[in-house]
Amino acid sequence: MDNTIPKFDLPENWLAGTDISKELLGLYKNYPVRLKCEIMALCMDGEIEASVNLNHITVNKNDIITLMPGSIFQINDLNGDLKIYFVGFSSKYVEHNDKAKIMLDAIYSTLGKPKISLSDKGAMMTEKYFKLLIDIYEMSDEKLKLEIADNIFADTHKGISLIYKKKTDNENVTSSKSEQLCKAFTQLVMQHYNDNRNVAWYAEKLGITHAHLCSIVKQSTGKTCADIISSMVIMDAKSQLKSTHQSIQVISDSLNFANMSFFGKYFKRHVGMSPLEYRNKG
């Protein structure tokens, strides 16, 4: 039942190309889409104004953007002649092959900061890498694409992590293992809040105890695990209420609430008004 925010995924394990046009991105203008896949893109010309998880970003020349699975993405405006390279990995590939550990550094680096600006030299080097990936993709048959997918995935994530690390090192930004685990928890929530809001489940996925996860998240963010889970649920609910014409019942069902009454109470507890009041608010 496709009653939630429209979802976008890739039809193959991985794809690389340059065919992201104004016309294609225009399909996602002014309404949100949830990414089931993971996409990394390099902008070498043009300008994209977008929202990622309701946070506004502007992507220009020499900017690289990393969108993790579960991200809510919306195009607000497009300017100039776009020149964008991309590589993406489908949800089926990422989930089936349990790539969480490989993604951990990239998750930590990019979550909350999906865009990073490169120097002219850095952008040119990254462009060469994307061109290489495109050549590999276009020259490989289906069997070879499958055989090399793990290598492409690992190399790409290592590259993204190094780019972010160099940038943050230059900005004297330090990180800790606790912060990294906190970011990983947040990423898992982005992917699974719709079907699992049990903190113990997330702790198990991360290989730590429930108490340790709660302590790490509280120390790193000042918020509880439940706060972060509920913030994602509410963000989704708000987005559907403002950006779609789905009924309150359909939105409640899409978020897996037991009934509309429970959804209404949950929403009001976190937002201070009912879903209908929020929808009608100017």
Side-chain angles (χ1 to χ4, degrees):
M1 184 171 64
D2 191 19
N3 290 325
T4 60
I5 295 174
K7 295 179 175 64
F8 178 83
D9 205 350
L10 297 175
E12 302 178 50
N13 286 324
W14 67 281
L15 283 170
T18 57
D19 50 347
I20 297 183
S21 63
K22 269 189 174 181
E23 290 72 25
L24 176 61
L25 289 177
L27 297 174
Y28 304 101
K29 191 172 181 179
N30 298 324
Y31 74 87
V33 61
R34 181 182 303 287
L35 297 181
K36 296 184 70 177
C37 56
E38 179 187 21
I39 293 178
M40 303 168 192
L42 172 70
C43 177
M44 292 301 289
D45 205 358
E47 180 183 88
I48 303 170
E49 291 187 26
S51 297
V52 179
N53 298 324
L54 304 185
N55 295 312
H56 183 269
I57 63 170
T58 301
V59 180
N60 293 293
K61 181 180 178 181
N62 293 358
D63 287 346
I64 189 165
I65 181 169
T66 304
L67 301 173
M68 290 294 176
S71 299
I72 297 177
F73 179 71
Q74 177 178 315
I75 296 294
N76 299 323
D77 202 7
L78 302 166
N79 298 294
D81 295 323
L82 297 183
K83 184 179 181 182
I84 299 181
Y85 298 88
F86 78 93
V87 60
F89 302 91
S90 73
S91 62
K92 182 179 178 181
Y93 172 75
V94 172
E95 293 169 9
H96 177 71
N97 292 278
D98 192 17
K99 298 299 182 184
K101 290 183 179 179
I102 294 177
M103 292 173 70
L104 195 60
D105 284 341
I107 288 169
Y108 165 69
S109 300
T110 64
L111 196 60
K113 190 178 181 181
K115 184 197 81 168
I116 195 165
S117 298
L118 306 177
S119 64
D120 287 341
K121 183 178 179 180
M124 288 177 62
M125 290 177 62
T126 306
E127 182 181 29
K128 289 180 180 178
Y129 179 67
F130 274 89
K131 285 181 175 178
L132 174 62
L133 291 179
I134 292 168
D135 287 343
I136 292 171
Y137 174 80
E138 292 180 345
M139 291 171 20
S140 302
D141 58 25
E142 295 305 312
K143 182 181 178 182
L144 183 57
K145 284 177 188 175
L146 183 60
E147 289 176 351
I148 64 176
D150 287 355
N151 290 45
I152 298 294
F153 187 87
D155 291 348
T156 303
H157 282 81
K158 186 63 176 178
I160 289 293
S161 298
L162 289 173
I163 288 172
Y164 272 78
K165 185 177 186 304
K166 183 176 181 180
K167 186 72 173 180
T168 53
D169 282 349
N170 290 340
E171 295 170 354
N172 295 317
V173 176
T174 59
S175 63
S176 68
K177 183 67 173 178
S178 292
E179 289 172 326
Q180 189 173 357
L181 281 168
C182 183
K183 296 290 187 181
F185 164 69
T186 307
Q187 171 61 27
L188 278 174
V189 172
M190 287 175 64
Q191 291 179 260
H192 298 287
Y193 70 87
N194 203 33
D195 49 62
N196 203 314
R197 295 167 198 159
N198 186 333
V199 177
W201 182 88
Y202 291 98
E204 183 179 354
K205 291 288 281 186
L206 291 168
I208 59 177
T209 66
H210 178 281
H212 188 38
L213 176 60
C214 291
S215 176
I216 286 172
V217 170
K218 185 67 175 178
Q219 289 175 8
S220 298
T221 69
K223 299 179 181 180
T224 66
C225 293
D227 287 337
I228 291 176
I229 294 170
S230 63
S231 70
M232 290 302 303
V233 176
I234 293 301
M235 182 180 68
D236 192 332
K238 283 181 173 180
S239 187
Q240 291 195 63
L241 287 165
K242 287 293 190 180
S243 305
T244 77
H245 298 291
Q246 303 287 4
S247 69
I248 306 296
Q249 179 67 65
V250 166
I251 294 173
S252 173
D253 291 344
S254 77
L255 294 169
N256 287 319
F257 282 92
N259 53 61
M260 192 167 70
S261 175
F262 185 49
F263 170 59
K265 291 176 182 177
Y266 183 94
F267 190 91
K268 189 167 185 176
R269 182 166 74 250
H270 291 284
V271 182
M273 64 183 77
S274 71
L276 185 59
E277 287 171 333
Y278 180 81
R279 170 171 271 173
N280 293 334
K281 190 180 80 166

